[in-house]
Amino acid sequence: MKKRCFNVASHFLMMAVLLIGMMVIVPENAQAATQQVKFIDGYSKKPTTDQMINGMVNWYRIKLPENWKYTDKNVTIKVSNKSVAYLEYEKSEPDGFYLCANYDVPYNTYKPITVTATKTDAAGNKKVATLNVHRYAVSCVPKKKTVYAGTTFKLPYKTITDGKSGVKTQFASDKASVASISQTGMVTAKKAGKTFLMVWNEGGRAELELTVRSLPAMSKAAASLNIGASTKLTLKNLPKRTAVTWKSSNTKIATVANGKVKAKAPGKATITATYKLEGKTRQTSCVVTVNKPKLSQEKATMSLRTSLTLKVTGASQSVKWETSNKKVATVTNGKVTAVGLGSCKIFATANGVKLTFTVQVRSNEKNWKVVTRPGAYQNAMDDYFISKVRRNANGSITVEGYFVNTHKYNITSFDYMYLAVRDSNDNLIGDYKMPKFGFRASSYSVNKLTVTIPANRVRKDYDFVKNPCTFDYDYVFNYRW
């Protein structure tokens, strides 16, 4: 019985020891705790709980909390979704890892993930570091676009995030002179050309290739037409099968049909083409000037037997010419010839418009002041002085002069006299040899002599009023003391 009792007593003693032990252990296990710590940014060396991954910043260096190594058996690292992002390790850098994106996963199916590192000590206490990984993106749909100059539109881009706010988006144009873009994404097409519009944020970059075309414009901004003439206007850069409405601001001056303009009367008219493009009604125009027939000159003073030619501009039809007095001036195809002294009008009718040219015909002659007096002319340089030359209505030339006898002897008769009129270049205008003319001259006398050169020996249309002339003469005479 004592042994049994001993056994019972010893059993109760052991139970008591176990209970006391349990009372000691259970409280100790209940004190095991989890402590939150932070990863370290591998570049800034600052604690981090968030990281963005993208095509611009990949293989991002993340360091474990201080004195942690991924090679430690009590350190575990987990990624919530390895199909989205994964970790790469370098043996030379056991204190951290590189965060990498899996670009096979489309942005629009991406969900946020976390990287969790846990370190457990012998007592069961845990230290946990959590990294929230985000992924952003931006895209342009379509990738190419064509617009006309003057068009404004919002860049068709889309920002893709995993729900995190505060994503900053920026814009730029490769050629702002072709198309500019504001920092709100509004595009303004300026002139014809090509540029790339870029949009980017922390997660990536996208671009739109933009082609800017010139707006449809009239083939001519201005046109000049004579009455009765026509021209064809078209619109450059107009898309096929675009309807166009044509209109003239004044149909009395110019009409238009399907772009064909016809001039009706002198004046100006604006031809307008109206069309619809990109939902907007637009216009382009051409200013048409219809010319009034005009003479090259309206009046002139002409010398007898001279000619001038009139021209009519602004006429699309043949010109009809008339003279008010054929005895003063004649006209043929615009060539006016002065045939008599006086004045008259020359009429030109073109496209129903009558034009008038007034001509005044004057004598075609040139005068020189000649001082002649009787007496001794021992110092005379010449013996024949010209005082006047004139062209007559029949085309002949009359030369008036004075013969001075500078000798003591008397001239009884002339066998002939030769007279030539020349221009300033010594080219012959007219000449004449007058045989045996009745003329006498006493010693130291002055006599007037008039010589007429027939029209058939005279160059036509020489104007003595405007042009200079010189003379040659020769004669043979008989004399007695």
Side-chain angles (χ1 to χ4, degrees), residues 345-357:
K345 296 184 182 300
I346 304 297
F347 302 107
T349 304
N351 293 113
V353 179
K354 192 171 186 178
L355 307 171
T356 303
F357 169 76

Side-chain angles (χ1 to χ4, degrees), residues 236-254:
K236 299 180 291 185
N237 302 323
L238 186 71
K240 293 181 179 179
R241 295 180 291 277
T242 301
V244 180
T245 302
W246 296 88
K247 186 178 179 180
S248 171
S249 64
N250 192 333
T251 55
K252 291 182 179 180
I253 293 175

